[in-house]
Amino acid sequence: MNRPYRGRFAPSPTGPLHFGSLMAALASWLDARAHQGTWLVRMEDLDPPREVAGAAQHIIEALAVHGLESDEPVLFQSRRLSAYDAQLDWLANHGFLYPCSCNRQRLNSLGRVYDGHCLRQPPAPAEATALRLHLPAPERPVYFEDAIQGPQRQVPAQDFGDTILKRKDGLHAYQLAVVVDDIHQGISHVVRGADLLDVSARQQLLFEILGATPPRWAHIPVINNLQGQKLSKQNHAPALDLTRPGFNLYHALRLLGQQPPQALESQSPGALLTWGAAHWQAARVPRQPNCTDPLFSH
Ligand code: GLU
Ligand code: ZN
């Protein structure tokens, strides 16, 4: 089946754009351009307590400095709450949701797979509850072929269990919103960091339950800092140096396994993006990061 290529970069505004998120943005942009596709930016601003004031605008501006601009207006998830509620209603009406009142302590004692306690013993109506997806066939494995990480297989009952789609605090969960919006935006290809490889199977199931075709997945390696920690907003990865976007793109390309000529290191973002789109080879992207890149000794 051939549908138009539509890709996206979907940052959460919990801090400034850092190098790892630039790599994800660049990889998704390059893959879209190499397929003559459309590339979208979606702001995943669903979790106000974790958000940093001004971060959404900073991310959009930092992307623009690197020549990465959404082909359509940026979609803000905070404006999509009624669409998420509509999908929750549909899931509830079709028997795919159940309320869960378990507290954090009980959930922590279970490890990563929920035991279905509240399905067997429904909480009293007055209790605060989260809503979980009730999987029809939790023993049936989910398969997909990741364009970078290779074949993947997970068994819901062992690997993730009944996912929370609406949180006890009333916020819509990332796992719901990401799928509802990927469907809404007609996303055909998801290129993102391998820290999200593990949640793809559950997202794929939700696509299928909602009657939609799941995207093709590609998970790029997640870059570690010199201490071996993932570069992320949580461990205060430094914001990108916006005075040298060409340099940032040059090293992002190299870490994505592409081989830009050295002379491009000091060029404009436009020159790097043009080279990158013309030479992009997803098959060259390594599964693991290569931390011998000189970027790490600068
Ligand atoms: N908003 C998510 C994050 O920043 C990524 C969502 C996605 O690419 O699926 O981690
Ligand atoms: Zn429960």
Side-chain angles (χ1 to χ4, degrees), residues 8 10-12 44 174 178 192 196:
R8 59 25 168 219
S12 305
E44 301 210 318
Y174 155 69
V178 70
R192 61 184 178 187
L196 294 167

Side-chain angles (χ1 to χ4, degrees), residues 148-274:
I148 296 166
Q149 306 294 332
Q152 307 293 319
R153 173 186 188 274
Q154 282 193 337
V155 177
Q158 290 154 28
D159 294 313
F160 51 86
D162 291 344
T163 306
I164 289 184
L165 298 187
K166 188 158 188 187
R167 293 163 28 172
K168 225 182 195 177
D169 60 11
L171 296 177
H172 297 93
Y174 155 69
Q175 303 295 352
L176 172 74
V178 70
V179 172
V180 171
D181 284 341
D182 282 340
I183 296 171
H184 170 68
Q185 297 190 289
I187 299 301
S188 62
H189 290 71
V190 167
V191 180
R192 61 184 178 187
D195 51 328
L196 294 167
L197 181 61
D198 254 12
V199 296
S200 303
R202 72 182 81 181
Q203 292 175 6
Q204 179 156 309
L205 275 180
L206 189 50
F207 273 92
E208 287 163 3
I209 289 171
L210 293 173
T213 306
R216 307 289 307 269
W217 309 99
H219 287 85
I220 67 164
V222 171
I223 300 302
N224 295 329
N225 64 17
L226 293 176
Q227 287 76 45
Q229 298 162 311
K230 180 196 149 192
L231 276 187
S232 72
K233 296 159 198 160
Q234 283 72 31
N235 61 38
H236 308 291
L240 279 174
D241 180 350
L242 298 183
T243 65
R244 45 177 198 178
F247 173 92
N248 295 336
L249 289 170
Y250 174 83
H251 286 281
L253 279 168
R254 285 183 47 110
L255 286 159
L256 289 167
Q258 314 301 302
Q259 295 161 357
Q262 171 87 53
L264 279 178
E265 190 175 15
S266 54
Q267 298 296 306
S268 67
L272 279 136
L273 292 179
T274 302

Side-chain angles (χ1 to χ4, degrees), residues 11-59:
S12 305
T14 52
L17 193 75
H18 59 78
F19 192 80
S21 37
L22 177 70
M23 278 179 60
L26 175 64
S28 60
W29 186 93
L30 290 169
D31 204 57
R33 286 295 177 265
H35 290 87
Q36 286 81 46
T38 301
W39 184 75
L40 307 177
V41 175
R42 181 171 72 229
M43 197 53 66
E44 301 210 318
D45 54 347
L46 264 190
D47 192 348
R50 287 188 54 225
E51 278 153 29
V52 172
Q57 203 47 40
H58 175 278
I59 291 171

Side-chain angles (χ1 to χ4, degrees), residues 89-98 119 132-136:
D89 285 347
W90 187 92
L91 289 166
N93 291 336
H94 290 79
F96 287 111
L97 285 188
Y98 66 95
L119 186 60
R132 287 185 185 272
L133 180 64
H134 177 35
L135 292 175

Side-chain angles (χ1 to χ4, degrees), residues 54 78 120 124-125 129 144 150 156 229 258 268 286:
S78 56
R120 295 187 305 274
T129 57
F144 64 91
Q229 298 162 311
Q258 314 301 302
S268 67

